[in-house]
Amino acid sequence: MKANVGGLDKWARILIGSVLVGLALTGAIGLWGWIGLVPMLTGIFGYCPAYSIFGWSSCPLKTEQ
């Protein structure tokens, strides 16, 4: 798995996922809040399968030396 999630995208996924899971844990929203695990885990691991399918990446380009 090559990293394809980086920078602001990574932190936004972790934040939004954590908020959804936190709201599900407190009962503020229903069971659907557990879907927040998906963006949270893709942000933590830096890899998004959907990005791979479409050939997208939010990682900065590395310069070859």
Side-chain angles (χ1 to χ4, degrees):
M1 291 186 318
K2 185 177 175 186
N4 60 6
V5 177
L8 182 61
D9 186 14
K10 178 181 258 190
W11 290 107
R13 288 170 181 260
I14 294 170
L15 177 66
I16 291 168
S18 298
V19 168
L20 285 172
V21 170
L23 289 171
L25 283 171
T26 61
I29 58 176
L31 289 176
W32 68 270
W34 288 100
I35 196 74
L37 285 172
V38 174
M40 188 168 61
L41 291 174
T42 59
I44 290 169
F45 290 110
Y47 176 77
C48 177
Y51 274 17
S52 283
I53 291 170
F54 294 110
W56 299 337
S57 178
S58 62
C59 283
L61 296 175
K62 295 181 182 178
T63 57
E64 294 186 28
Q65 298 175 352

